[in-house]
Amino acid sequence: MTGSSRSTVDLPPRQRKILFRSWHRGMREMDLILGQFADAHIESLTEVELDQYEELMEALDRDLLKWVTGEADVPEEYNTPIFHKILASRNAMKF
């Protein structure tokens, strides 16, 4: 998989940017986790969830990967409903 499989034509600029950033993290593992999540859910996320998602994407990939895999505890500021949606989505992913 080399990136997003969904078109961005119908997305507002904010969602297009988030989708692009989800697939271009720097660490391939996080590209796959966040990219697939964004492909599946970007259109249905609320403004609050988009805010939380953008904040979460500011974290370092190595930290995000540890939180998603359970190697490290998630800091309180990132332990949000959107993070739990990402976890649920990741658990359903097939790599």
Side-chain angles (χ1 to χ4, degrees):
M1 184 171 282
T2 60
S4 182
S5 59
R6 87 173 302 294
S7 171
T8 60
V9 172
D10 60 332
L11 293 176
R14 183 180 186 193
Q15 279 93 338
R16 281 197 302 261
K17 181 180 176 184
I18 290 170
L19 185 62
F20 180 85
R21 287 183 63 209
S22 296
W23 278 108
H24 296 87
R25 297 287 308 166
M27 182 183 282
R28 190 63 182 149
E29 293 87 344
M30 290 314 303
D31 290 351
L32 291 170
I33 293 168
L34 293 180
Q36 288 183 49
F37 173 80
D39 273 358
H41 301 283
I42 195 70
E43 286 182 286
S44 64
L45 296 179
T46 66
E47 290 297 315
V48 170
E49 289 173 323
L50 290 171
D51 291 342
Q52 290 173 358
Y53 191 68
E54 286 177 315
E55 187 174 327
L56 184 66
M57 286 196 303
E58 295 301 320
L60 297 174
D61 280 348
R62 67 175 182 258
D63 294 335
L64 276 170
L65 187 59
K66 287 179 184 177
W67 303 336
V68 169
T69 60
E71 266 185 71
D73 291 334
V74 182
E76 198 59 38
E77 66 267 24
Y78 295 114
N79 196 4
T80 61
I82 196 69
F83 180 76
H84 291 278
K85 278 189 172 186
I86 293 167
L87 284 182
S89 177
R90 185 241 178 234
N91 290 333
M93 289 178 189
K94 300 195 188 315
F95 295 98

